[in-house]
Structure formats: structure tokens, C-alpha cells
């Protein structure tokens, strides 16, 4: 059992002396909500979309749906809300077991509705290339979706799935490549069947259906009755404004990770891939975490299949989750673009912060489009100011060790107790949320003090290295506009 404390339990550093108690927070200041009750609802959380308002998603009011409405009947403002605790008291950081338990109790109170705004079939034509063969509704603009749903290089794989973004919508497409005895088709028939929705959080539900449909389209081309029935059953109703149909504006993202997920759901649900993501990158996950928190433009390259790489995009966004009210209001939102190709270059030129993946090597040469380039497990940057962040320091190794220990503890608990109410994904997301919360809470407290001095003790208390993380801290203070004075020595020689 993890010993509970008044600090984020996943991040207790036994070797770090306890910091001196700071001044009590003013009573009129709203304390931060519990990370367990918010999970990825913070102002930096990845979402079904992103607000176009200057303040981002935290600036608006979000109504709590489901049973919580009948209990509290309130609308809570801020980047996160606690549906079961309308009156907030002192900030608490439950341990990972209690935190996950609380989240499991609250998840059923909120249900996101299906809103499929389009269904389509893309095929590879030997004369014309990728084309949209069929779609519903007939008049929807699908320009470019033929390249997003059939990634460059897909002809080398038998099957794949792709998450992507088109305008204000997100898409999921399943691709399949079937050998045929046809000279006209050059021995191979390739198709993708996909859908568009305002949210990507429920797209995984239709993975199995899309896989079956793309196989059906390969075997019996031109038969769309099942797709038509699916669209009629799941289509979303677009809101009307001034007599004209407008695009759906995605709402706040509330993750709903089902307990005891079946293996296929573990693979198809983006929230079921965090453990594989961290095991793939190892200690370098701490490098990606820093770039994500700094809102850098992260581009991940990998040859097909691209499905697992789309999951890495999602996981990168989860590294920047913060549940403290007000954090991130003045910085760009960390947007998941998922799969991109050369047709997205113009859109990326205006983006200040994003994470995306591609199978097209040409992007590596377009250094003005990204800050961080990830090739397989190699994380690099062409920005000299960001070069120090590529080095893993002792504090990074310590955090990764803590994370690994917590994971082993969880796996042991699952094996011994047979309790499947917790998951590795919950553990990882809570770990980084609490880490981020601790950092910003400390910075806020120091900025609110009289001398505004950030000392080595403060830095160690945040789980950072006073020397190795100096440039990271300087960038963090600048990006988030936090007014503190850094008084950490930076010796020029050992």
C-alpha cells in the first residue's frame, strides 16, 4: 500500500528533505481540485477538439452531465470540475489506488453521445491514385481525406488503422490490402473505410465494424447497404445557425476508460496504450514530457503501419495534463493532429503547438514546421536553445524509476488481488498529472510570496534537477508567464 501524504504520492522522493511549510493560501483563492476527480480534464488536457476562445477550454463554463446534475445542480467553471464536491476545501492528492477508485465511481455519470458526421470508402485507383469512392452524406466536403485515410507507404502492409484530423473533426479509417488476380489492379486491391466525428474519444468503438467493412468492400466492391444503415443509425445532427448548417463544435473531453477492458479494446482504445508508449521510449519519456509541457511542436516519424504511432500522439498529449485551475490559459493548446501528410503543410505553418505523426520522410527537411522530431526512439531538435533538454539527468532517472516501481506495485496488486478496477494507463496519467500539478503549484506559491525567489530546495521539491533542469525551468517560466526569480547557481566549470 502506498503511504498517503499531503503531496502527490506518486512523486514522493524519500531522499528529498521536506520543504518548509509555506504561508497559508488566502481563503478567497479557489484551491486546486483533486487530480483523481479530474484525470485529464485540466486546461492542458487533450480533448475532443479545442476552443477558439482566447482563454481556451478553461475560460468557458462546462455543465456536468448525468447523475451529477441531480446531485449538485451546478455549473462549475475552470479547467476541471469535481462533480461530487461542489464546495472545494483544501487541496488533496489521493494515492493512486484511491484516486482510481474515485474516478471509477464517477465515470459512469457521464456519457458521450455518438455523433458520426460522415462515413466514406477510399480506394486506390491505378490511374488516378487515392480517390473517395463513396460517402454519406453526399454533399460533405471530404477534400484530402483520401490521403489521410490511406497513409503514404500503406501498400507495404496488409492492414492498418489511422486516426486523423480534418478541420474541426476527427477521423478513424481502417485500411486493408488484398492480393487479386487482376492486371488492371496490378495484383492488389487497396481500400479504406472511415468515419468522421467531432470527438476522437469514441471512435475506437467502431474499429471492429470498420475492419469488417473494409474487408467486405475488398471482397464485394460497390455494396454499401451496411454502411448506409450504420450512418443512418449513428449520424450526428449538426446545429443550425442563421438558417445554415454549421460544423459541430466539440465539447469538453471527459475520458471514460472502461474497467476490465477486453484485449481488443486495449488495442483499439487510445487510453489503452500508455503503458506500451512508456515502455517503448523508456527514460526518454521524460524528455518528451518536458517538450509537451513547454507546448513545443512535436512531429513523430515512422513507416507504416501508422496506427500504433497515432497512439503515441495521443500519449504525448496526456503527458501535459494539469488539473489546477488557471494553468495554461495564456499558452497555446497542445493539439493532437494524429496522422498528417504533405497536404497538411499549409495548416501546420500557422500552428504554435501540436503533436502529430507522419510516414513521409520529407517532413524532416521542413524544420520550420516542427520543434522536436522523433524518429523511432530517437528524439532530436534543431533548435539550439532546446538542445539541453535532450539530456537525461539524475532527476529524470529518479522519476522514471518511481514510475516503474509504481507500475510493478500495481501489477503485483492486480495479480494477487485480481482487482481489475485499476489499470496501468490510470497510473501513468495520474503520475504525470500529479507531477505537473506539483510543479505549477510550487511556482504559483513562490510567485505569490514576497521575495519571489525559487531556490534549489523548491526545484528539488518539484522533482527536478537544479542544474540539469535549469534551462527547462527558464523556458517554463517564460512560456507560462510566471513571475519568479531563479537563484540557482549555474557554474561554468565542475
Amino acid at each position: 500500500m502506498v503511504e498517503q501524504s499531503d503531496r502527490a504520492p506518486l512523486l514522493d522522493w524519500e531522499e528529498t528533505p521536506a520543504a518548509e511549510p509555506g504561508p497559508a493560501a488566502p481563503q478567497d483563492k479557489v484551491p486546486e481540485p483533486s487530480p483523481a476527480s479530474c484525470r485529464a480534464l485540466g486546461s492542458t488536457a487533450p480533448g475532443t477538439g479545442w476552443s477558439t476562445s482566447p482563454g481556451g477550454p478553461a475560460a468557458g463554463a462546462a455543465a456536468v452531465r448525468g447523475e451529477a446534475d441531480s446531485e449538485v445542480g451546478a455549473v462549475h467553471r475552470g479547467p476541471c470540475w469535481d462533480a461530487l464536491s461542489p464546495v472545494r476545501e483544501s487541496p488533496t492528492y489521493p494515492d493512486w489506488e484511491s484516486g482510481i477508485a474515485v474516478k471509477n465511481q464517477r465515470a459512469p455519470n457521464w456519457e458521450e453521445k455518438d455523433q458520426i458526421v460522415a462515413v466514406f470508402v477510399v480506394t486506390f485507383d491505378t490511374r488516378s491514385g487515392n480517390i473517395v469512392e463513396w460517402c454519406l452524406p453526399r454533399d460533405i466536403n471530404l477534400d484530402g481525406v483520401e490521403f489521410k485515410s490511406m497513409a503514404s507507404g500503406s501498400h507495404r502492409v496488409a492492414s492498418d488503422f489511422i486516426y486523423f484530423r480534418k478541420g474541426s473533426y476527427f477521423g478513424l479509417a481502417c485500411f486493408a490490402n488484398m492480393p487479386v488476380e487482376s492486371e488492371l489492379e496490378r495484383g492488389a486491391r487497396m481500400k479504406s473505410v472511415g468515419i468522421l466525428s467531432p470527438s476522437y474519444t469514441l471512435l475506437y468503438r467502431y474499429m471492429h465494424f470498420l475492419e469488417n467493412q473494409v474487408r467486405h468492400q475488398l471482397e464485394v466492391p460497390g455494396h454499401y447497404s451496411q454502411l448506409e444503415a450504420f450512418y443512418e443509425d449513428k449520424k450526428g445532427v449538426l446545429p443550425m445557425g442563421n438558417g445554415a448548417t454549421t460544423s459541430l463544435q466539440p465539447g469538453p473531453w471527459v475520458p471514460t476508460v472502461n474497467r476490465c477492458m477486453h484485449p481488443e479494446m486495449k488495442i483499439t482504445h487510445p487510453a489503452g496504450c500508455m503503458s506500451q508508449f512508456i515502455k517503448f521510449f523508456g527514460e526518454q519519456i521524460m524528455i518528451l514530457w518536458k517538450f509537451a509541457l513547454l507546448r513545443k511542436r512535436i512531429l513523430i516519424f515512422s513507416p507504416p503501419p501508422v496506427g500504433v504511432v497515432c497512439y503515441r500522439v495521443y500519449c504525448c498529449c496526456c503527458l501535459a495534463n494539469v488539473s489546477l485551475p488557471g494553468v495554461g490559459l495564456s499558452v497555446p493548446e497542445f493539439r493532437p493532429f494524429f496522422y498528417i501528410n504533405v497536404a497538411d503543410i499549409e495548416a501546420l505553418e500557422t500552428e504554435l503547438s501540436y503533436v502529430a505523426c507522419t510516414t513521409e520522410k520529407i517532413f524532416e527537411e521542413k524544420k520550420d514546421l516542427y520543434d522536436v522530431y522523433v524518429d523511432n526512439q530517437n528524439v532530436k531538435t534543431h533548435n539550439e536553445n532546446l538542445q539541453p533538454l535532450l539530456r537525461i539527468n539524475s532527476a529524470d532517472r529518479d522519476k522514471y524509476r518511481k514510475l516503474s516501481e509504481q507500475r510493478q506495485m500495481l501489477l503485483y496488486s492486480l495479480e494477487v488481488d485480481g482487482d481489475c478496477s485499476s489499470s496501468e494507463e490510470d497510473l501513468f496519467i495520474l503520475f504525470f498529472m500529479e507531477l505537473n500539478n506539483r510543479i505549477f503549484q510550487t511556482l504559483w506559491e513562490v510567485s505569490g510570496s514576497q521575495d519571489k525567489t525559487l531556490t534549489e530546495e523548491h526545484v528539488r521539491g518539484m522533482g527536478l534537477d537544479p542544474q540539469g533542469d535549469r534551462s527547462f525551468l527558464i523556458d517554463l517560466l517564460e512560456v507560462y508567464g510566471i513571475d519568479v526569480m531563479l537563484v540557482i547557481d549555474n557554474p561554468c566549470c565542475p
Side-chain angles (χ1 to χ4, degrees):
M1 176 64 68
V2 179
E3 182 180 355
Q4 187 157 351
S5 71
D6 60 347
R7 297 189 296 161
L10 303 182
L11 307 170
D12 280 332
W13 321 107
E14 292 89 343
E15 63 274 24
T16 303
E20 292 296 327
Q27 294 300 317
D28 59 345
K29 184 178 181 180
V30 180
E32 69 273 21
S34 163
S37 67
C38 308
R39 171 99 170 240
L41 294 178
S43 59
T44 63
T48 57
W50 35 87
S51 169
T52 55
S53 61
V64 179
R65 298 175 175 86
E67 297 176 6
D69 284 332
S70 60
E71 295 184 22
V72 298
V75 174
H76 302 280
R77 295 183 179 272
C80 180
W81 54 89
D82 185 341
L84 302 185
S85 303
V87 179
R88 296 188 178 98
E89 298 177 354
S90 59
T92 58
Y93 292 90
D95 59 46
W96 60 267
E97 290 180 331
S98 61
I100 293 172
V102 172
K103 181 183 67 64
N104 291 337
Q105 295 173 358
R106 296 176 183 174
N109 292 338
W110 189 93
E111 182 178 357
E112 188 175 0
K113 295 182 179 180
D114 295 306
Q115 289 181 320
I116 303 302
V117 298
V119 58
F120 57 87
V121 178
V122 167
T123 189
F124 175 76
D125 184 85
T126 54
R127 291 184 293 269
S128 305
N130 297 2
I131 60 173
V132 177
E133 171 186 312
W134 174 90
C135 69
L136 278 179
R138 304 290 185 187
D139 58 348
I140 191 168
N141 179 6
L142 292 179
D143 291 345
V145 78
E146 65 269 29
F147 301 107
K148 293 176 179 292
S149 58
M150 194 177 290
S152 176
S154 291
H155 62 279
R156 301 189 187 98
V157 299
S159 62
D160 199 1
F161 63 93
I162 305 171
Y163 282 87
F164 60 91
R165 175 196 152 197
K166 175 171 172 54
S168 60
Y169 300 124
F170 291 91
L172 171 63
C174 286
F175 165 84
N177 182 353
M178 184 178 75
V180 293
E181 295 181 0
S182 168
E183 292 184 4
L184 183 63
E185 296 177 282
R186 299 178 185 174
R189 183 177 299 158
M190 293 177 284
K191 292 182 183 288
S192 280
V193 177
I195 53 179
L196 289 181
S197 172
S199 163
Y200 64 78
T201 60
L202 294 185
L203 290 176
Y204 76 94
R205 290 184 176 182
Y206 310 111
M207 180 79 76
H208 188 61
F209 171 77
L210 295 176
E211 288 173 339
N212 287 337
Q213 285 303 303
V214 71
R215 185 57 56 183
H216 175 71
Q217 289 300 317
L218 288 174
E219 297 172 351
V220 192
H223 290 72
Y224 311 114
S225 58
Q226 295 179 24
L227 292 174
E228 291 172 348
F230 169 82
Y231 175 71
E232 289 301 320
D233 181 54
K234 299 295 184 182
K235 65 181 179 181
V237 180
L238 300 182
M240 303 296 290
N242 299 325
T245 302
T246 60
S247 62
L248 275 173
Q249 290 301 318
W253 177 62
V254 181
T256 53
V257 182
N258 294 334
R259 302 300 94 210
C260 303
M261 286 195 281
H262 298 294
E264 62 268 23
M265 189 177 296
K266 280 281 189 180
I267 296 172
T268 58
H269 195 306
C273 61
M274 184 66 76
S275 59
Q276 294 88 338
F277 169 73
I278 294 184
K279 285 185 287 186
F280 178 79
F281 283 106
E283 290 181 345
Q284 287 197 106
I285 195 68
M286 307 315 302
I287 296 176
L288 292 173
W289 161 68
K290 293 175 187 178
F291 286 131
L293 209 58
L294 291 175
R295 297 298 210 277
K296 298 305 176 183
R297 299 170 298 170
I298 302 176
L299 181 59
I300 304 173
F301 167 81
S302 177
V306 74
V308 67
V309 193
C310 290
Y311 286 162
R312 292 171 193 164
V313 170
Y314 167 85
C315 293
C316 273
C317 287
C318 290
L319 296 177
N321 289 339
V322 180
S323 63
L324 300 180
V327 175
L329 296 185
S330 61
V331 297
E333 295 180 67
F334 201 43
R335 303 181 175 186
F337 267 68
F338 295 105
Y339 177 74
I340 61 171
N341 54 35
V342 291
D344 296 299
I345 289 178
E346 185 176 349
L348 291 178
E349 288 175 342
T350 61
E351 292 298 324
L352 301 176
S353 176
Y354 72 84
V355 55
C357 63
T358 187
T359 59
E360 300 182 8
K361 196 69 174 177
I362 191 175
F363 273 97
E364 185 174 9
E365 302 173 6
K366 299 186 177 298
K367 298 181 179 180
D368 58 323
L369 296 179
Y370 63 86
D371 302 307
V372 181
Y373 190 82
V374 183
D375 187 345
N376 196 23
Q377 293 167 303
N378 182 24
V379 183
K380 56 185 178 181
T381 177
H382 55 84
N383 189 327
E384 292 185 3
N385 294 330
L386 298 179
Q387 292 289 340
L389 275 65
L390 296 176
R391 293 191 288 268
I392 298 174
N393 57 51
S394 59
D396 294 330
R397 294 188 178 91
D398 197 23
K399 288 190 287 289
Y400 186 77
R401 177 179 59 82
K402 292 288 183 182
L403 180 58
S404 299
E405 289 175 355
Q406 291 291 338
R407 176 176 175 269
Q408 291 301 321
M409 186 184 302
L410 173 62
L411 294 178
Y412 177 78
S413 175
L414 295 176
E415 181 179 355
V416 173
D417 301 332
D419 177 21
C420 58
S421 62
S422 305
S423 73
E424 292 182 72
E425 281 66 43
D426 294 314
L427 172 67
F428 289 137
I429 290 177
L430 285 173
F431 182 93
F432 283 101
M433 178 181 289
E434 293 181 1
L435 172 60
N436 299 337
N437 284 352
R438 168 180 287 194
I439 289 174
F440 285 108
Q441 182 66 38
T442 301
L443 293 178
W444 277 0
E445 290 175 355
V446 172
S447 67
S449 63
Q450 288 186 342
D451 60 2
K452 299 182 183 296
T453 300
L454 189 69
T455 65
E456 289 192 13
E457 288 71 23
H458 288 126
V459 176
R460 292 194 181 94
M462 293 187 288
L464 300 177
D465 186 306
Q467 300 301 330
D469 285 319
R470 179 182 174 85
S471 61
F472 168 63
L473 265 174
I474 293 175
D475 289 347
L476 195 70
L477 296 175
E478 180 179 355
V479 169
Y480 288 85
I482 302 176
D483 182 21
V484 302
M485 182 172 61
L486 192 62
V487 293
I488 302 172
D489 294 332
N490 187 23
C492 59
C493 54

